[in-house]
Amino acid sequence: MEKKIITISREFGSGGRTIGRRVAEELGIPFYDKELVDQIALESGFAPRFVEENGEHSPGLSRLSYAFAPQGVPGVMNGLSTADFLWNIQCGVILQLAEKGPCVIVGRNADYILKDRTDVMDIFIHAETEFKAHRIVSLYGESEKSPETRLAEKDKRRRVNYQHYTGRTWGAAQNYEMCLNSSQLGIDECVRIIVDAYKISQEMK
Amino acid sequence: MEKKIITISREFGSGGRTIGRRVAEELGIPFYDKELVDQIALESGFAPRFVEENGEHSPGLSRLSYAFAPQGVPGVMNGLSTADFLWNIQCGVILQLAEKGPCVIVGRNADYILKDRTDVMDIFIHAETEFKAHRIVSLYGESEKSPETRLAEKDKRRRVNYQHYTGRTWGAAQNYEMCLNSSQLGIDECVRIIVDAYKISQEMK
């Protein structure tokens, strides 16, 4: 089956975003991550940073979040919670992006949102805690919390969000075409495996 | 990290055993599956067929299973259940096989049994139900149960056994270096990905 879209779900710090960007570069197709956030923000009227922080997180967003919504937005949310409102927009944006043509989409539960398409290669990237801890400190710096706590908190929010909106278990192998351990395989090898499998699917069309 | 041992866990009908055998052939290293069963049987005194049917299955083996044990065996089981007795032997055999050198081991919770070694590449193979159903009928023939029921029953027993003896979730991506969907990737591509990753780990030593 020919694959056109690659979705990458990833543990925080596993290098999934880096892998996604490099895969897109090697295949010469668009990469949606921050760009996707911006587009969702644009359509929702929320500040980009608010979308980035909440788009993949807990469905139980603070009620105070309305305070961050631009004027008039609560009125168009039709009684939906902020999280559900963002989710609906996110689904629409991702479905539209997939219609445009081949691309790599990182995060945002895109694997589930595109589940009815047959041309999607779903990838999950995970890694050992030590590797991820080292990576987030070198990428994002230290904070008052330990790297391990930051990893656990972020992944818990992703897991809860995924479970809530998809009814699936985050990181269950059966949801993905490939799950790769980036600390054992290495980032380069993960990129190579995904690029090769994508190209081979093109030959199978 | 150089890898020497490959363990393959697999959903029933996913082609995991075939993939394991082909990987072993391509790498020119021993393949343990039926051979492993025979060795466990030999050490336990149980009939090979009994071990094959129960070695990866429910910890709640029928008490009648003692009836299948060779004379004298219950006496040496030191009060262990038949399942626990088999598990202990299985752990010993797998640890010994791994000591012998590079190999591919299919099933038998070898990923967990060898978890303290750093030279093990753990793989999980899964597939779409339709692919597996078609495969088991062509390999093992029809039976009075539907292929879907046979798949569900067999995987449930593997899942319960794995959970019981390892405390881990069967098929959770985090337990494996790679999880591959054989119906989407194809058997050939799964073999290629594993062989390549193994060879690359050799170069990284």
Side-chain angles (χ1 to χ4, degrees):
Chain A
M1 173 64 69
E2 183 186 5
K3 303 291 179 178
K4 289 186 180 157
I5 320 279
I6 297 173
T7 73
I8 298 196
S9 308
R10 75 292 182 219
E11 289 182 345
F12 181 49
S14 67
R17 185 192 292 189
T18 302
I19 291 168
R21 191 175 52 239
R22 287 189 41 198
V23 165
E25 283 168 7
E26 291 207 19
L27 293 172
I29 61 179
F31 171 70
Y32 297 121
D33 182 27
K34 181 69 172 58
E35 293 75 4
L36 181 64
V37 172
D38 289 344
Q39 185 154 355
I40 294 170
L42 201 69
E43 297 205 15
S44 69
F46 282 90
R49 183 160 174 198
F50 177 77
V51 177
E52 187 165 13
E53 285 177 359
N54 293 286
E56 291 180 301
H57 290 164
S58 169
L61 281 176
S62 161
R63 294 196 186 147
L64 284 172
S65 60
Y66 282 112
F68 297 99
Q71 221 173 10
V73 165
V76 300
M77 285 166 56
N78 292 323
L80 291 175
S81 71
T82 312
D84 289 349
F85 180 71
L86 276 181
W87 170 253
N88 285 353
I89 293 174
Q90 193 168 301
C91 289
V93 170
I94 288 175
L95 288 166
Q96 282 171 34
L97 289 176
E99 277 301 311
K100 283 189 185 176
C103 62
V104 176
I105 304 174
V106 171
R108 314 277 151 186
N109 303 343
D111 59 310
Y112 178 79
I113 294 169
L114 300 176
K115 69 184 185 317
D116 295 331
R117 295 182 68 112
T118 57
D119 59 354
V120 181
M121 174 177 280
D122 296 313
I123 311 288
F124 184 79
I125 306 289
H126 58 101
E128 315 298 331
T129 300
E130 193 182 344
F131 174 90
K132 295 183 293 186
H134 180 77
R135 228 168 158 275
I136 63 166
V137 169
S138 64
L139 281 175
Y140 309 113
E142 300 277 0
S143 84
E144 72 276 17
K145 292 179 185 169
S146 74
E148 290 74 15
T149 303
R150 290 157 70 190
L151 291 173
E153 286 181 355
K154 192 104 168 183
D155 281 348
K156 184 180 176 189
R157 294 176 76 183
R158 287 182 181 169
R159 187 180 306 114
V160 169
N161 176 280
Y162 188 77
Q163 168 76 32
H164 178 80
Y165 284 108
T166 72
R168 294 178 177 178
T169 302
W170 193 67
Q174 287 83 352
N175 297 336
Y176 310 95
E177 183 158 335
M178 289 193 277
C179 301
L180 304 174
N181 181 320
S182 57
S183 53
Q184 288 185 36
L185 292 163
I187 301 274
D188 289 348
E189 174 67 354
C190 289
V191 171
R192 200 189 60 75
I193 289 171
I194 298 167
V195 167
D196 284 358
Y198 186 89
K199 286 182 179 169
I200 285 174
S201 84
Q202 307 288 308
E203 293 161 13
M204 290 162 72
K205 67 184 166 185
Chain B
M1 174 62 70
E2 183 186 5
K3 303 293 180 177
K4 289 185 180 158
I5 321 280
I6 297 173
T7 73
I8 298 196
S9 308
R10 74 294 181 217
E11 289 182 345
F12 182 49
S14 67
R17 184 194 292 189
T18 302
I19 291 168
R21 191 174 54 239
R22 287 188 41 198
V23 165
E25 283 168 5
E26 291 206 20
L27 293 172
I29 62 180
F31 171 70
Y32 298 119
D33 182 26
K34 182 69 171 61
E35 293 75 4
L36 179 64
V37 171
D38 289 345
Q39 187 156 351
I40 293 169
L42 201 69
E43 297 203 17
S44 69
F46 282 89
R49 182 161 174 198
F50 177 77
V51 178
E52 186 165 15
E53 286 177 359
N54 293 286
E56 289 181 300
H57 289 164
S58 170
L61 281 175
S62 161
R63 294 194 185 147
L64 284 172
S65 60
Y66 281 112
F68 297 99
Q71 224 174 8
V73 165
V76 299
M77 285 166 58
N78 293 322
L80 291 175
S81 72
T82 312
D84 288 349
F85 181 71
L86 276 180
W87 170 252
N88 286 352
I89 294 175
Q90 193 169 301
C91 288
V93 170
I94 288 174
L95 288 165
Q96 282 172 35
L97 289 176
E99 277 302 309
K100 283 190 186 175
C103 62
V104 176
I105 304 175
V106 171
R108 315 276 152 188
N109 303 343
D111 57 311
Y112 177 80
I113 294 169
L114 300 175
K115 69 184 185 316
D116 294 331
R117 296 182 67 111
T118 56
D119 59 354
V120 181
M121 174 177 281
D122 296 311
I123 311 286
F124 185 79
I125 306 288
H126 57 100
E128 314 297 329
T129 300
E130 193 182 345
F131 174 89
K132 296 185 291 185
H134 180 77
R135 227 168 160 274
I136 64 165
V137 168
S138 65
L139 281 174
Y140 309 114
E142 299 278 0
S143 83
E144 71 278 14
K145 292 177 184 168
S146 73
E148 289 76 13
T149 302
R150 290 157 69 191
L151 291 172
E153 285 180 356
K154 192 104 169 184
D155 282 348
K156 184 180 177 187
R157 294 176 77 182
R158 286 182 182 169
R159 187 179 307 115
V160 169
N161 176 278
Y162 188 76
Q163 168 75 33
H164 179 79
Y165 284 108
T166 72
R168 294 179 177 178
T169 303
W170 191 68
Q174 287 83 351
N175 297 335
Y176 311 94
E177 182 159 335
M178 289 193 276
C179 303
L180 306 175
N181 181 320
S182 56
S183 53
Q184 288 185 37
L185 292 163
I187 300 274
D188 289 348
E189 173 68 354
C190 290
V191 172
R192 199 187 61 74
I193 289 171
I194 299 167
V195 167
D196 284 357
Y198 186 90
K199 286 183 180 170
I200 285 173
S201 84
Q202 307 288 306
E203 293 161 13
M204 289 162 71
K205 64 183 169 186

